[in-house]
Amino acid sequence: MDAPSELGDFLKTRRAAVRPEDVGLATAPNQRRVAGLRREELALLAGVSVTHYTRLEQGRAAGVSDSVLEAIARTLRLTADETAHLKDLARPATGRRPAAPRTEQATASARQLLAAMTDVPALVLDRRSDVLAWNRLGHALLAAHLPWEAPQAPEARPNLIRMLFLDERYRDLYADRTEEALLAVASLRLVAGRHPEDRALAELVGELSIQSGEFGALWARHPVRTCTSGGKTLRHPAVGALELSFENLCIPGPSGQRLIAYTAEPGSPSDAGLRLLASTTGPAEAHPVTGEPAGDPR
């Protein structure tokens, strides 16, 4: 991904989204040729020169200060996530070339934790949303149509974002598929801004842009949002509707891995649904260290 062009595209989409009347500018009907603010209007409101701002939209951000970026962010009414993303794009890490994809693995302790969470669907994901490991109930909840051992094969490892756009059975789990798709792209945008050197991430974006028109259209809108917790409504083929809460828990270390777990309100129909799903899944569980199926414990 080209950081300079990403910066320019991001600023243009946000500038186009701000109506002049929303920021106190008088407008005459039918006298505007562009959507949103003009460059010179944004520069004036942010207190920077038009030349300086134009250079930013051209991707020439060398030496730009936090105060300038924050003034532009305030004028564009950016969220905290969008402001952080703007800074990531304006000041990408230097001296880091695109790195060859490396095989990531969930740690032994993370696998042990997953295995212990017998009543909670849970997965370990890397920053690209590749599934590094899942427990029995996590597999049954999200991907029972895939082999249990799929996360152990890096070349065939499931990726939740790829599945959302290219795997109809996974996509059909979500009652609000449109919102789920937007959130997935917004989260991926944030990660891409932080890691422009990640070749595997760039390849994932390229693949999805080619194979999914929906993904390409959403990516071009530059949505940016982090999602650490919330709720999801699933339509599971085996147990029906489930109203679940989820938490993304960051695993300490530089890898960007995280554990995501799903729970239901105790005593609710969704809680009963999860219990039913747990009772209908096989007893095989991955060994907490090796990740190999342990087989029937009898």
Side-chain angles (χ1 to χ4, degrees):
M1 285 168 281
D2 184 356
S5 64
E6 291 290 319
L7 173 60
D9 289 346
F10 178 68
L11 286 170
K12 290 172 187 175
T13 61
R14 293 307 183 271
R15 180 163 58 85
V18 179
R19 298 184 303 174
E21 56 268 31
D22 291 339
V23 290
L25 295 178
T27 59
N30 304 321
Q31 291 187 1
R32 300 188 68 85
R33 297 181 180 178
V34 297
L37 296 177
R38 299 187 179 99
R39 284 179 177 175
E40 57 270 22
E41 291 170 336
L42 175 55
L44 176 64
L45 291 167
V48 302
S49 72
V50 176
T51 299
H52 198 168
Y53 178 75
T54 300
R55 286 175 179 166
L56 286 178
E57 280 203 3
Q58 293 171 343
R60 296 186 290 166
V64 64
S65 67
D66 271 349
S67 60
V68 167
L69 294 175
E70 288 165 3
I72 291 171
R74 285 193 298 271
T75 304
L76 292 175
R77 301 183 171 187
L78 300 187
T79 65
D81 286 337
E82 290 171 330
T83 300
H85 185 62
L86 173 62
K87 292 179 179 180
D88 286 336
L89 295 179
R91 289 198 292 268
T94 58
R96 290 157 62 182
R97 298 180 179 179
R102 61 187 181 87
T103 301
E104 290 196 47
Q105 301 290 344
T107 64
S109 58
R111 292 179 182 279
Q112 185 171 320
L113 177 60
L114 284 180
M117 299 170 69
T118 55
D119 296 325
V120 177
L123 307 87
V124 172
L125 308 176
D126 68 9
R127 66 184 177 221
R128 307 176 201 99
S129 291
D130 284 348
V131 180
L132 305 183
W134 47 29
N135 65 7
R136 179 173 58 88
L137 196 49
H139 174 243
L141 177 69
L142 299 180
H145 63 291
L146 297 180
W148 159 261
E149 65 275 9
Q152 305 308 317
E155 68 281 359
R157 185 171 278 165
N159 177 279
L160 295 190
I161 297 177
R162 180 187 289 111
M163 291 168 63
L164 186 61
F165 289 96
L166 303 181
D167 183 334
E168 281 301 318
R169 280 181 287 186
Y170 178 74
R171 183 179 174 87
D172 284 346
L173 284 173
Y174 293 93
D176 191 344
R177 295 182 294 181
T178 300
E179 174 62 19
E180 191 67 22
L182 177 60
L183 179 58
V185 173
S187 299
L188 192 63
R189 267 285 183 194
L190 201 60
V191 174
R194 292 172 181 164
H195 301 279
E197 81 293 346
D198 189 329
R199 186 185 302 175
L201 180 57
E203 290 172 354
L204 174 64
V205 171
E207 173 195 351
L208 292 176
S209 297
I210 292 171
Q211 297 191 30
S212 170
E214 181 187 15
F215 177 89
L218 288 173
W219 189 258
R221 288 166 52 185
H222 285 255
V224 176
R225 185 171 22 145
T226 189
C227 190
T228 57
S229 62
K232 295 186 187 295
T233 301
L234 302 186
R235 299 178 299 193
H236 196 276
V239 296
L242 297 170
E243 295 284 344
L244 303 178
S245 299
F246 70 92
E247 291 286 341
N248 270 301
L249 307 174
C250 294
I251 296 175
S255 68
Q257 293 182 12
R258 66 192 190 278
L259 185 148
I260 182 169
Y262 300 85
T263 58
E265 182 71 25
S268 68
S270 295
D271 184 36
L274 280 185
R275 292 178 184 276
L276 176 60
L277 184 62
S279 71
T280 58
T281 55
E285 181 63 274
H287 188 281
V289 176
T290 67
E292 296 299 325
D296 193 317
R298 292 175 295 178

